[in-house]
């Protein structure tokens, strides 16, 4: 994940030491049997597995499925356990644990996709020798996520280049490159100096900086070796997943949070991206093609500091100088509130519209690069000095992913909301608080708390005493309504999750005074969402993930074509299971003729009379908003 700033535990450990710097939605998505017949629209008694619905491609700044529907990817990173040695670089100790976690991601997290972490060190422990046993175990675990209808995109993860850089008595640890790659560099003993958080190693630890600089320069051929291993990994996956499973693989994230290590004279983040990072991505793209991944995009990340919300950390970048990326790439970035994570740069809770500008920057960069945007990491610590900010930061981050507007202005200016962003939260680690990790292989430093890696604790899930996955964050925040497949183009989306902060319900959206029936129907405590889209005439339905907190028997749906409370399993508005045999559900909306449409989904039951009144209010509102005009 991106490096936040300090924690109370770290500052207590280094009392008296401080530093002023930091460096860091009728079918769903993936179906799990025989492909659908070409004439079938998804949702109508469709086969259990549907490759057309599963596979996404890039079309301008959008992800689209085989039915031409606009797709939004939402989910989690699985899992930071890969950073640890206790399970040999695997996200899970067993296939059974992977299956348990996959079902929980679907049922508790409401996800339709995951970023699946891989370890270069585990894949190539000996130079030139790819460990196919590791790849076999990784593939078996990935299959469990595909089986429950989740899309997957793998990520060769790294932080601070490699675990092998750090000594047994080091304050910090890393992950990524194998030991032989570090030994090839002949680096001196690492030293971070006055560092109160692991992320500061990125800019202050000369050994870490030298190793990363050498990777981009391909010193000792280590970048070539990484590309060889990446190609072997992708070839293995393509060979060992069946056609529909492979359709559920979105693409590949080549490298987590790239940074220069050390700039050359006259170089900055943007020129480094052009001179070093982009050529690497072009090489990786060629390796994807050679491995049979021609139709899948590379999910490329920019210089990790390009959009920091701390001015002294922010650097030029964002792949600005590379030009349009085209359909073979996705603009893949991260966002953390480094100021609040620090515990001292910003002591306030996040507010309505807090990150609208930050995420508008991401949307604008997506447009400039003519590529979909994916925010593959975001989140906030759940323990430590800044953990009281987590509910507000989480709500504000999801708000900004859903819309480029604040809640107080959305209804007045919805046509300017912008696209719904795809994203995966950091992170989903069922072992949270149950680890047994020897930090840097030191038997005297066994880490069990939190994520067991550099004092981080961001997992949205844990296992209870019965071994059952349970959420560590408010389910109202985590299991969200979102448009997972839209038969056309999304014009605006709002979700008021009614999540809690310190026991209080937080509502940011403000319904206009000239929509009193809508205000009464949404109430003050029940969640609701609004989707506006322009239909493309396809027979495939628009669908939204329905959170577990919405009881289908009392859920109200109001569209421009029909209204219902308690939608059944047939009709123009209906409820259906999400693919994959879990308890997760979706709302299916038929009738996607060309032109604007709206849908309100509320957890509050309503009489037919009230629904009709709300329909009139929404119709007047949508006409006045002049969507798409």
């Amino acid at each position: 994940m991106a490096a936040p700033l300090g924690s109370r535990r770290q500052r207590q450990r280094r009392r008296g030491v401080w530093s002023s710097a930091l460096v860091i939605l009728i079918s769903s998505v993936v179906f799990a049997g025989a492909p659908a017949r070409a004439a079938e629209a998804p949702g109508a008694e469709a086969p259990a597995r549907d490759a057309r619905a599963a596979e996404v491609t890039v079309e301008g700044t959008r992800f689209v499925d085989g039915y031409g529907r606009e797709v939004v990817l939402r989910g989690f990173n699985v899992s930071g356990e890969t950073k640890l040695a206790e399970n040999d670089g695997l996200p899970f100790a067993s296939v059974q644990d992977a299956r348990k976690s996959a079902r929980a991601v679907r049922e508790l997290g409401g996800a339709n996709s995951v970023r699946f972490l891989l370890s270069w060190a585990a894949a190539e422990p000996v130079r030139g020798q790819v460990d196919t046993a590791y790849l076999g175990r990784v593939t078996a675990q990935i299959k469990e996520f595909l089986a429950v209808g989740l899309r997957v995109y793998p990520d060769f993860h790294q932080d601070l280049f490699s675990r092998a850089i750090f000594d047994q008595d080091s304050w910090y640890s890393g992950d990524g490159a194998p030991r032989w790659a570090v030994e090839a560099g002949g680096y001196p003993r690492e030293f971070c100096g006055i560092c109160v958080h692991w992320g500061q190693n990125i800019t202050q630890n000369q050994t870490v900086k030298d190793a990363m600089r050498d990777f981009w320069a391909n010193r000792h051929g280590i970048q070539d070796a990484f590309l060889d291993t990446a190609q072997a990994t992708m070839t293995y996956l393509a060979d060992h997943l069946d056609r529909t499973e492979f359709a559920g693989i979105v693409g590949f994230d080549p490298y987590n949070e790239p940074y220069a290590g050390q700039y050359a004279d006259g170089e900055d983040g943007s020129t480094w991206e052009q001179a070093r990072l982009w050529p690497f991505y072009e090489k990786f793209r060629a390796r994807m093609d050679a491995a049979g991944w021609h139709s899948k995009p590379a999910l490329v990340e920019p210089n990790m500091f390009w959009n920091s919300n701390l001015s002294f950390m922010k650097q030029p970048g964002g792949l600005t100088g590379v030009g349009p990326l085209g359909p073979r790439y996705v603009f893949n970035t991260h966002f953390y509130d480094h100021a609040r994570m620090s515990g001292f740069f910003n002591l306030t809770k996040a507010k309505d519209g807090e990150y609208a500008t930050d995420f508008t920057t991401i949307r604008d960069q997506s447009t400039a690069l003519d590529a979909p945007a994916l925010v593959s990491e975001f989140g906030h610590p759940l323990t430590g000095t800044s953990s009281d900010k987590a509910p507000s930061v989480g709500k504000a981050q999801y708000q900004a992913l859903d819309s480029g507007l604040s809640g107080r202005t959305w209804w007045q200016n919805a046509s300017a909301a912008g696209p719904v962003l795809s994203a995966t939260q950091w992170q989903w680690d069922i072992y949270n608080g149950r680890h047994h990790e020897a930090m840097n292989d030191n038997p005297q430093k066994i880490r069990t708390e939190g994520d067991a890696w550099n004092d981080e604790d961001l997992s949205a899930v844990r296992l209870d005493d019965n071994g059952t996955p349970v959420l560590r964050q408010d389910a109202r925040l985590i299991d969200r309504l979102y448009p997972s497949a839209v038969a056309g183009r999304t014009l605006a989306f709002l979700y008021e999750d009614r999540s809690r902060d310190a026991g209080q319900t937080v509502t940011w959206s403000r319904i206009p005074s000239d929509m009193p029936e809508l205000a009464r129907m949404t109430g003050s405590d029940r969640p609701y969402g609004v989707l506006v889209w322009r239909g493309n005439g396809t027979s495939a339905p628009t669908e939204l993930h329905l959170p577990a907190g919405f009881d289908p028997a009392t859920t109200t749906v109001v569209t421009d074509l029909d209204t219902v409370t308690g939608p059944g399993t047939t009709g123009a508005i209906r409820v259906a299971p999400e693919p994959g045999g879990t308890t997760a559900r979706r709302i299916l909306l038929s009738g996607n003729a060309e032109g604007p449409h709206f849908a309100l989904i509320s957890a509050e039951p309503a009489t037919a009379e009230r629904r009709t009144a709300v329909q009139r209010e929404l119709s007047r509102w949508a006409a006045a908003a002049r969507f798409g005009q």
Side-chain angles (χ1 to χ4, degrees):
M1 65 161 283
L5 282 165
S7 70
R8 176 183 291 119
R9 190 164 36 186
Q10 289 164 326
R11 290 199 296 275
Q12 288 174 339
R13 187 181 303 149
R14 303 161 184 82
R15 189 171 301 163
V17 177
W18 71 273
S19 169
S20 63
L22 166 72
V23 191
I24 43 172
L25 148 142
I26 300 169
S27 125
S28 160
V29 288
V30 182
F31 287 49
R37 297 184 292 275
E40 282 185 321
E45 304 305 326
R49 303 169 77 189
D50 184 348
R52 287 182 66 189
E55 189 162 19
V56 296
T57 55
V58 169
E59 186 177 286
T61 58
R62 306 186 302 156
F63 292 108
V64 296
D65 68 9
Y67 294 96
R69 298 180 300 179
E70 182 179 84
V71 168
V72 170
L73 306 174
R74 286 289 176 92
F76 298 86
N77 283 262
V78 179
S79 143
E81 169 73 14
T82 300
K83 296 184 180 187
L84 309 181
E86 61 184 7
N87 284 324
D88 301 320
L90 290 166
F92 304 99
S94 66
V95 169
Q96 291 76 15
D97 279 1
R99 184 177 305 128
K100 178 187 293 187
S101 187
R103 290 188 64 91
V105 168
R106 202 61 152 137
E107 296 174 346
L108 299 178
N112 68 4
S113 58
V114 296
R115 181 177 185 235
F116 197 97
L117 274 61
L118 305 177
S119 166
W120 177 19
E124 191 187 7
V126 177
R127 184 164 191 164
Q129 298 181 27
V130 175
D131 188 344
T132 56
Y134 173 76
L135 298 185
R137 292 192 291 270
V138 162
T139 304
Q141 294 187 6
I142 288 175
K143 282 174 174 280
E144 295 299 325
F145 287 79
L146 296 168
V148 297
L150 291 158
R151 291 187 178 95
V152 173
Y153 60 98
D155 152 50
F156 263 120
H157 207 79
Q158 73 80 33
D159 295 280
L160 308 184
F161 190 70
S162 173
R163 175 192 184 99
I165 280 180
F166 298 88
D167 298 314
Q168 284 194 342
D169 59 351
S170 292
W171 286 0
Y172 304 105
S173 188
D175 69 287
R179 181 170 296 278
W180 60 260
V182 173
E183 292 175 345
Y187 306 113
R189 181 182 173 92
E190 60 82 22
F191 178 67
C192 192
I194 303 175
C195 291
V196 297
H197 184 268
W198 69 265
Q200 290 177 260
N201 286 271
I202 297 172
T203 58
Q204 293 180 220
N205 190 322
Q206 192 60 47
T207 297
V208 173
K209 292 167 64 176
D210 287 350
M212 188 52 69
R213 176 206 60 203
D214 289 351
F215 178 84
W216 299 118
N218 196 25
R219 187 167 177 248
H220 306 298
I222 59 173
Q223 187 182 118
D224 288 339
F226 172 80
L227 291 168
D228 289 344
T229 299
Q231 180 177 338
T233 300
M234 290 185 285
T235 300
Y236 190 97
L237 286 168
D239 288 347
H240 290 81
L241 299 174
D242 68 31
R243 185 175 74 88
T244 308
E245 289 173 331
F246 192 54
I249 301 293
V250 174
F252 210 108
D253 184 342
Y255 205 87
N256 178 69
E257 295 180 350
Y259 57 94
Q262 191 163 320
Y263 292 129
D265 288 343
E267 196 176 42
D268 63 13
S270 184
T271 55
W272 170 77
E273 286 181 341
Q274 296 172 61
R276 295 290 188 181
L277 184 60
W278 187 250
F280 166 74
Y281 286 151
E282 291 183 310
K283 293 175 185 177
F284 197 95
R285 175 70 265 180
R287 298 303 187 103
M288 292 179 70
D289 294 345
W293 291 51
H294 312 78
S295 64
K296 301 183 183 298
L299 289 67
V300 296
E301 301 188 30
N303 167 21
M304 65 176 292
F305 301 113
W306 82 281
N307 64 337
S308 173
N309 70 343
L310 282 175
S311 58
F312 64 82
M313 288 176 53
K314 194 168 184 176
Q315 297 180 6
L319 302 179
T320 301
V322 174
L325 302 187
R328 289 164 60 76
Y329 297 93
V330 168
F331 178 57
N332 172 16
T333 188
H334 298 172
F335 180 80
Y336 291 94
D337 187 338
H338 294 134
R340 286 186 171 86
M341 293 175 88
S342 69
F344 50 87
F345 281 116
N346 191 334
L347 302 180
T348 67
K349 292 190 176 184
K351 301 174 293 294
D352 175 31
E354 179 84 33
Y355 306 123
T357 299
D358 296 294
F359 283 70
T360 293
T361 298
I362 294 172
R363 289 178 172 89
D364 289 347
Q365 197 68 0
S366 168
T367 299
L369 294 172
D370 193 28
L374 170 64
V375 183
S376 60
E377 287 191 25
F378 66 99
H380 195 83
L382 301 183
T383 57
T385 57
S386 71
S387 60
D388 64 311
K389 317 298 189 304
S392 65
V393 169
K395 183 178 178 73
Q397 289 176 336
Y398 274 111
Q399 179 193 55
L401 289 167
D402 291 345
S403 166
L405 302 171
S406 66
R408 65 184 176 276
T409 63
W410 191 90
W411 287 96
Q412 290 76 22
N413 198 31
S415 61
V420 181
L421 294 176
S422 294
T424 49
Q425 179 177 330
W426 186 273
Q427 67 156 327
W428 193 269
D429 173 17
I430 61 171
Y431 306 121
N432 176 271
R434 293 173 174 266
H435 292 283
H436 190 82
E437 171 72 2
M439 182 177 178
N440 297 321
D441 302 318
N442 187 340
Q444 304 304 314
K445 298 177 72 174
I446 303 299
R447 297 291 179 250
T448 61
E449 297 181 1
D451 301 335
W453 191 85
N454 286 342
D455 289 330
E456 290 200 333
D457 187 11
L458 285 88
S459 178
V461 70
R462 65 176 178 87
L463 297 178
D464 66 13
D465 291 342
N466 296 316
T468 302
V470 294
L471 288 177
R472 302 179 65 227
Q473 294 181 268
D474 190 343
R476 303 168 190 86
L477 174 69
I478 298 300
D479 185 10
R480 305 179 64 79
L481 185 82
Y482 61 92
S484 54
V486 173
R489 183 179 290 271
T490 300
L491 301 177
F493 178 67
L494 165 74
Y495 183 49
E496 180 52 79
D497 55 47
R498 312 283 197 184
S499 56
R500 272 60 164 173
D501 187 358
Q504 300 296 312
T505 299
V506 180
T507 299
W508 286 343
S509 60
R510 297 182 185 175
I511 298 174
S513 60
D514 61 353
M515 304 176 76
E517 293 301 324
L518 176 62
R520 292 187 186 98
M521 196 178 78
T522 55
S524 61
D525 190 61
R526 300 289 190 100
Y528 73 91
V530 182
L531 172 68
V532 184
W533 76 103
R534 181 172 294 281
N536 61 3
T538 181
S539 60
T542 286
E543 60 180 90
L544 300 94
H545 171 70
L546 188 67
F550 282 66
D551 181 352
T554 57
T555 292
T556 297
V557 182
V558 177
T559 76
D560 53 298
L561 300 177
D562 200 2
T563 77
V564 65
T565 290
T569 58
T570 60
I573 302 171
R574 59 198 185 98
V575 174
E578 294 277 21
T582 69
T583 61
R585 296 166 300 208
R586 53 196 163 129
I587 288 284
L588 309 176
L589 305 174
S590 299
N592 292 289
E594 295 182 5
H597 301 278
F598 62 78
L600 167 79
I601 299 91
S602 173
E604 184 80 13
T607 64
E609 181 181 21
R610 174 157 289 170
R611 296 198 305 268
T612 299
V614 169
Q615 186 184 51
R616 286 196 296 264
E617 290 181 348
L618 288 171
S619 294
R620 288 195 299 268
W621 167 78
R626 301 175 66 85
F627 286 103
Q629 298 184 29

